[in-house]
Amino acid sequence: MLINGEWVGAEEDEWLPVYNPSTGEKLAEIVNATKKQIDNAVEVACAAFESKEWKGFKPHERGQLLMEMATYIREHADKLSELECLDVGKPMTQARNDIEAAARYFEFYAGAADKLMGDSIPIEDGLLDVTVLEPMGVTAHIIPWNYPIQIMSRSVAAAIATGNAVIVKSAEDTPLTADALAKGFSESKLPKGIFQHVTGLGANAGSYLVSHEGVDQITFTGSVQTGITVMKSAAESVTPVTLELGGKSPNIVFQDADLEKAAEGVKNAIVQNAGQTCSAGSRLLVHSSIKETFVNQLVEKFAALKVGRGIDDPDIGPILNKCQYEKVLSYLELGKKEGKILTGGEPITVEGAGGYYIQPTIIDGVSHDSILAQEEIFGPVLTVFTFEDIEEAIGLANQTEYGLVTGIWTSNVNTAHYTASRVKSGQVFVNNYGAGGGVQMPFGGYKKSGIGREKGFEALNNYVQIKNIAVKYDM
Ligand code: NAD
């Protein structure tokens, strides 16, 4: 862990193993942080935040520090990509894209650091009323295992750009790129204690950190269940939380869509990172008149996908661990009982690899009330539903407790805009899905997909207080 600029090991000799999902081999051991160590990190962050040194950093100088980090990431891109690939199991090309996105977050918020301004508000003659934006103080960032470096970079860069002191708790399964970024920060001109990295189990280190009285803001990215727990504990101290949670996002394919482009988009939206993506397009809603043709196209594409070890850069890597794998397999069993598997549906052995692999799968014929339509499967599994008209499509799209992303595929501008205006999700993509990552686009959820927005200028609001100052002057 990086606490107060020092590398810190386990206090009570409690180390946690980290495995390579592609092979099952042990990669590293991390500290299961004690309460004392978390107390220390929070105390250090409070002092660093209040220090003259950090307050003396001008906004553009904070920006320069972030730009230095972007350069660090680019200079170490090969090593970082390999670490992310080994740690998460994701194919090398996808790991490289994640490293590029991480650098882009640092660049984006580096540029924003000196462009965040308050207002002047006209009240009356003889009174100057202004708002100033001040940092929150100590911000805690809880990171999930599926996109570690991207998710960490997007909130950490925004929090430092706005002048906060940051504590990151990486996911116990995938802490390696957080550790590598900690090294970058420790070698930069950032004052000690403005960036710290702690590790450990969510139920110990994570839970203790988010309930700490010294923490002024929490950004949590992870599952709905843990998000609710975090929010409840934050309520005790009235600490603001940004929650980036799960999804069950639909791709809606209308009969006038370019079917080849739509099939490619629908496939990519579910197989990226083996479907272990919050914004995975896990439901296909397709017009009944084109269902057969479209689904046949998809089956062909799925059957051609290569599953393998991340390092060999296949289309689909392994599932993170045994627990996740068994969860996905139980959904597949349910799919066989309730409906029909059109392709895939089985675990798969990859030669020379000890990880947990699953065939890319399409399930048809289940009811939209089924948990296959309602719950995040977090595997390369697409479930198909049909609709007869636009209202039915919108109704189905909105019929889950999530609301993260919607894909709309049509050549009719009215269909596109009307559907976009009616779906309840934080992002809508028309004739594409994801727009290449979208560092600049606000991202977050309706309903149980979360509270607040990450990415883009919007995210900066998570990390500032607004202070109104009214100055009366004599005339
Ligand atoms: P998770 O909720 O199990 O864990 C996320 C993080 O929370 C980990 O660091 C974990 O250690 C920590 N944690 C666990 N219990 C905690 C507690 N009581 N208090 C504080 N921290 C605790 O989620 P996961 O399995 O790592 O990630 C997968 C989930 O994350 C999926 O639901 C996915 O959709 C979601 N996700 C959302 C986004 C988004 O931006 N909306 C992005 C990626 C993943």
Side-chain angles (χ1 to χ4, degrees), residues 142-146 151 154 169-172 200-203 206-207 210 220-223 226 229-230 244-247 278 376 378 404 443:
I142 309 289
I143 313 298
W145 52 261
N146 58 350
I151 288 172
R154 75 187 185 193
K169 207 298 275 170
S170 52
E172 49 270 46
L201 295 173
S207 154
V210 296
F220 172 82
T221 310
S223 63
T226 317
T229 308
V230 167
E244 291 290 350
L245 309 177
C278 55
E376 252 188 334
F378 242 52
L404 200 52
F443 176 67

